[in-house]
Every structure is written in structure tokens, then in C-alpha cells.
Amino acid sequence: MLETLICALFTILPDYLFRRYVQGKRIGHELTLFSMWYELRYGLTSCAIAAISVITVLFYFHPATSTVSSYYRTLTILPQFGGRVSEIFVENNQKIKAGDKIFRLDAVSQQATVQAAKAAITEVDASVKVAQTDLAAARAGIVQANAALTQSNEDLARNQTLLARGSSAVKLTEIERLQNLVHEREALVEAAEAQFASVNERIDVVIPAQRDSAEAQLAQAQAELDKTLIVAGVDGTIEQLSLQVGDYVSPVLRPAGILVPDSIGHKRFQAGFNQMGAQVIKPGMVAEIGCMTQPFTVYPMVVVAVQDVIASGQLRPSDRIFDPQFNQVPGSIVVMMEALYADQAPDLPPGSNCLANVYTNNHDQLEHDKDLSTGKRIFLHVVDTIGVVHAAGLRLRMILMPVQTLVFSGGH
């Protein structure tokens, strides 16, 4: 509307002034409602052509959109396994911090497993004392076997000496019996030493391995027990929590609620522009947004990124070959915007619905590019000039948007 009024000042108004004061035609006489088109045909035609041209140039070089929002993600509150709720620590719309408890599942079986693992560790510790007693017994057995072996060797040596001197008190069969007794007691010494080594190996290797295994089972059981307590991973607000003690929750069938993080969606806005804007919108361009959640306020923004793919062309493998004719709705150019000035970041609730306009800036190109022809320079000057006018109109539209919405809502 504003662009049409400006074009009318340079087309319809001069035509009317010429008809009125040069040709002497008067309103209500020569200039009537029925003769308006014929008398002002040159001005009306020029105004229509100029307005269409201006609006086309404006919307091409200064894209606008009504689909702007600060998107955010939610975290589903889920246990790692299904179970019955035994305790609830929070309420709906409650602010919580990372690490705060949300609810607890029934943990009878997990607690029993933990107690069994602790009992296994106690049993291993008790076996250490038993093994130490066995080690002392094995050490005593070695001493006893060595003493018996020494006694047998002394008896054998004494009888061999007497036999060598020709004593009739020693028989050859007695010598053989003593020799066999020595061999037997040597074997007993080796068995006692082997028993000592076995007990020592059990103390140094087997029992520590058994304790490590028992501690690992305890850690695993404790981890399963810890999974029954569901805590918050980030700061946020609890939403849609409808739990009661005794309810069954499952990571597949029934979530417990939603956690909305505090630090997501407050600083960056995503806007969807027409695909024609892909040739114009670049990172670094200045923009403005106005939102329903902050009426009568326009925020200066800057384009920080432009998504290099369009969602409508996304393809997912399936058992059917894709047919392009079913892709009837063209996708949007997704543009990410942030506050132009860090200290003026809009404090808007995530998910706010907004309007946005992006502005081109040709001043640097006009100042430094000496290859531009005169016609192109004039065109770029005109684009920047009418862009200022368009920005003023859009700013007015953003300010009036809440009022219009309230009027239409009241009409319903």
C-alpha cells in the first residue's frame, strides 16, 4: 500500500493536476466516477506498472516471511528399563537443576543383587583368613616332613656304618627298609612343599581374582540399582508429568514426561523464505523481526547461516521409487538469525511466532566496484532507497500485527 501511494504521487497526481489546471476539467463535471479511467488513463496505467515493478523489486531484494520461530528441543523423561514407580520427587512446571532426582522405580530385585554381591565379597575376604591358616599348616607340614626325612637318613647312615664294620646286629633287609623309608619321606617333603606352593598361589592369585570378580559384580549390580533413580541431565522445566506411585513406565511404551531445557532456543531464530530468496539472502545481511510474544517491538537481527539444502528434496530409501510429481509443495530456504547486538538479544519464549524481513546492502558495492555501469548504479541506488521505505512499512506492519490479531480474534 505504501509503495502504491508513493508511485501515485509521481503518476496519478501529475495527470490529475494537468487535467484540472491545464485542461480546466472539474471534478463532478468533466471528471466523474464514470469518466475517471478515460481521463486519468495515462496516470492510472503508469501507477499500476510502477507499483508492480517496485513491489517486485522490493520483495526480490528484501525478502519477507511470516514463518520465523526460535525452535527448541525437548528431552523425554525415560528410564533405561521398565518398572513400577515407587517415589516421585518433582511436580509439573517445576524448575530443576542437572542432577536433581525426578522419580525412582521399584528396586527390590536390584537391591537383592547388590546384597548378594556384597556377600560374595565378604565370603572372599573370609577365604583369605582360611587360606592363611592353610598356609601355616602347609609350612608346618614341610618342617615335619623334613624332620622325619632327617631322622630316616640318620638311621640309614648308622646302619650302613655298622654293616660296613661287619656287625652281626644289622641285616641287609633292615638297610633296604630304611632306604625305602627315606624315599617315602622325601616324597612327603615334596608333597608338603607342593601344598605350601598351592596355598600360597591361592592367596596371591586366585583369591585376588575372585575378589576382583566379586567387586565387578557388585559394581554391575550397583549400576543396575542406580538406573532405578532417574535424574535430570540438564537444567530445565518439568512438563506433562502425570506419574503416580505404582504407575508402570517403559522406555518403549510409556514415557514419564518431558524436560524442557533452559539453554536451548533463546538466542537463535530460524526463518523459512521463498526459494527465490536463495539468490539474495547471504550470511551477514541485516534483518528485523517482530513477534507476537513482544508486541510493538522490532528487533534488529543478522543472518548468521543459510541452510544449503531444501527439506522438500529429502529422500529416504524405501521399497518404492520416488516420483517427483508427489513433491508438490516447494520447500523453504532455512535462514538462521541472531541478534545484531549481543546486548539487545530478544528475550522471547522459545517457539514464538514472528515476522521477518531481510535487507540487502549495496553501499560497499557502489563505493568500490568501478566496473558498474551508470544504469546499474542508478538501479542499485533505487533499490537501497525504496528498501528504506519498504523497511519502514514492514516495521509498521510488525508493530500493528498484534493489534490486527487481537481484532480478528475478538471477531470470532
Side-chain angles (χ1 to χ4, degrees), residues 89-98 100-101 232 234-239 259-263 266:
F89 305 100
V90 296
E91 297 178 350
N92 259 328
N93 303 318
Q94 179 178 332
K95 291 281 188 180
I96 61 175
K97 299 292 184 181
D100 288 352
K101 297 183 288 186
V234 296
D235 298 349
T237 306
I238 297 293
E239 300 288 350
L259 176 62
V260 181
D262 290 338
S263 59
H266 288 272

Side-chain angles (χ1 to χ4, degrees), residues 61-342:
F61 285 97
H62 304 284
T65 181
S66 60
T67 56
V68 184
S69 185
S70 54
Y71 293 101
Y72 63 96
R73 63 171 304 218
T74 59
L75 305 177
T76 306
I77 302 174
L78 289 172
Q80 297 190 37
F81 53 83
R84 301 254 173 215
V85 178
S86 61
E87 290 182 88
I88 302 174
F89 305 100
V90 296
E91 297 178 350
N92 259 328
N93 303 318
Q94 179 178 332
K95 291 281 188 180
I96 61 175
K97 299 292 184 181
D100 288 352
K101 297 183 288 186
I102 300 178
F103 66 92
R104 188 193 302 274
L105 296 177
D106 181 62
V108 175
S109 61
Q110 288 82 3
Q111 290 173 349
T113 305
V114 170
Q115 294 300 324
K118 290 181 178 179
I121 292 179
T122 304
E123 183 180 355
V124 171
D125 292 339
S127 67
V128 173
K129 297 181 179 180
V130 175
Q132 290 174 349
T133 303
D134 293 342
L135 183 66
R139 187 180 293 110
I142 292 176
V143 174
Q144 181 180 2
N146 283 324
L149 176 61
T150 302
Q151 181 65 38
S152 299
N153 285 328
E154 290 177 354
D155 292 342
L156 177 62
R158 183 173 57 255
N159 282 277
Q160 287 177 341
T161 302
L162 292 174
L163 181 64
R165 291 178 180 178
S167 174
S168 59
V170 180
K171 298 181 180 179
L172 185 59
T173 56
E174 181 65 18
I175 297 297
E176 292 177 354
R177 185 185 69 80
L178 292 174
Q179 288 177 342
N180 291 333
L181 183 61
V182 167
H183 293 317
E184 178 183 353
R185 291 183 175 178
E186 286 177 349
L188 290 176
V189 170
E190 293 178 358
E193 292 176 348
Q195 179 67 20
F196 178 83
S198 174
V199 174
N200 197 36
E201 186 76 10
R202 183 152 59 93
I203 293 176
D204 294 339
V205 179
V206 178
I207 293 179
Q210 290 176 346
R211 183 175 177 81
D212 291 341
S213 177
E215 290 177 347
Q217 291 177 0
L218 176 60
Q220 182 179 0
Q222 186 64 47
E224 294 298 320
L225 179 61
D226 293 341
K227 291 178 182 179
T228 62
L229 178 62
I230 288 78
V231 300
V234 296
D235 298 349
T237 306
I238 297 293
E239 300 288 350
Q240 300 181 15
L241 186 72
S242 58
L243 283 183
Q244 293 182 355
V245 174
D247 284 351
Y248 183 85
V249 292
S250 168
V252 178
L253 300 178
R254 188 179 178 186
I258 291 175
L259 176 62
V260 181
D262 290 338
S263 59
I264 298 177
H266 288 272
K267 304 299 182 182
R268 176 169 289 201
F269 290 80
Q270 291 81 28
F273 287 88
N274 188 281
Q275 293 189 13
M276 290 290 291
Q279 306 176 39
V280 179
I281 303 176
K282 306 295 180 185
M285 292 177 62
V286 178
E288 289 180 330
I289 65 170
C291 305
M292 283 291 299
T293 51
Q294 287 287 345
F296 309 108
T297 306
V298 177
Y299 295 99
M301 309 292 289
V302 62
V303 176
V304 295
V306 180
Q307 187 169 287
D308 55 357
V309 295
I310 299 176
S312 59
Q314 183 176 352
L315 198 61
R316 180 174 295 176
S318 65
D319 56 351
R320 291 188 178 184
I321 296 178
F322 177 72
D323 191 344
Q325 71 174 346
F326 294 111
N327 190 19
Q328 299 178 358
V329 180
S332 302
I333 300 296
V334 179
V335 177
M336 276 66 76
M337 296 183 293
E338 293 181 355
L340 182 61
Y341 306 104

Side-chain angles (χ1 to χ4, degrees), residues 342-365:
D343 57 344
Q344 296 182 5
D347 187 15
L348 300 171
S352 299
N353 191 18
C354 310
L355 299 176
N357 194 62
V358 178
Y359 303 107
T360 56
N361 184 350
N362 301 300
H363 300 301
D364 293 338
Q365 189 176 2

